[in-house]
Each structure stands twice: as C-alpha cells, then as structure tokens.
Amino acid sequence: MLTVAAGLGARSAATGVPGYAGDVLYTVLVAALVVLAAPRLRPVAAAVTAFGLSCAVELFQLTGVPAALAAHSRIAPLVLGTSFHAPDLLWYAVGAAAGWAVHAAARRAARRSDAAA
C-alpha cells in the first residue's frame, strides 16, 4: 500500500526526472506482486519478470487500447497508462533494480535469521 501511495503521490506532484518516480515505483510494485505470487523466485528472476511486465504494459500503450479504456474507467489509466513514452522503459529498469535490491536484502536477512535460530 505504501508503494501505491508513494507512486500516486509522485505522479501527481512532480514533473521531469522526479516525475519518473511513479514509473520506478510502478515496477517496484510489480516486483512485490511477483514475489507475493511466487515467493521462492530468486531476486534476479523476480526483477526480470517485473521489468518485462512493466515493458509489456508500456508497449501495449502503442495499440491505443489503454487510452480507449481510460475514457471509460478511472482505474485503467493508473494501471495501464494511456500513451507510450520511451523513457519510461529506462525508469522501469531502475525500478526492477530497486525491487531486486530489496528482495535480495530481505532474503539475506531471512537466511541470517534462520541460521541464528
């Protein structure tokens, strides 16, 4: 929930490079959802999957379908966006790297905790 709130706040409050925080957080959220769906997935696999899904959504915007859905839904543009923007792909990579770092750190901490027990 914190990632969603931060992403929505970043999208509404910032433009330029700070405005891309929403793109980064979008992919962090996708990474978290991937890990929730497949908790045993290695951090690098979860990050690559999140990056791939984020890029797929961005490329889907080239079809015009997300823009059409946005005309009928308030949630569709938040989930699917409305128009393709190539620099978003770079920021999705940054988000995937952040997701990887958090996931890898959490796994290391869990292993240390298991070893200490």
Side-chain angles (χ1 to χ4, degrees):
M1 293 303 281
L2 182 61
T3 302
V4 172
L8 291 173
R11 286 240 183 228
S12 66
T15 59
V17 172
Y20 289 110
D23 295 327
V24 172
L25 291 168
Y26 178 86
T27 303
V28 169
L29 174 63
V30 172
L33 294 174
V34 167
V35 171
L36 282 173
R40 294 177 187 220
L41 200 59
R42 292 180 26 191
V44 70
V48 168
T49 301
F51 177 69
L53 290 170
S54 297
C55 289
V57 169
E58 189 69 27
L59 293 172
F60 184 50
Q61 293 169 3
L62 289 169
T63 67
V65 173
L69 292 172
H72 303 288
S73 170
R74 297 183 95 168
I75 294 175
L78 296 174
V79 176
L80 299 175
T82 56
S83 59
F84 178 79
H85 194 236
D88 290 351
L89 300 172
L90 168 68
W91 296 106
Y92 296 150
V94 172
W100 168 82
V102 170
H103 187 190
R107 281 190 124 188
R108 282 192 300 274
R111 281 196 299 267
R112 282 194 300 269
S113 175
D114 288 345

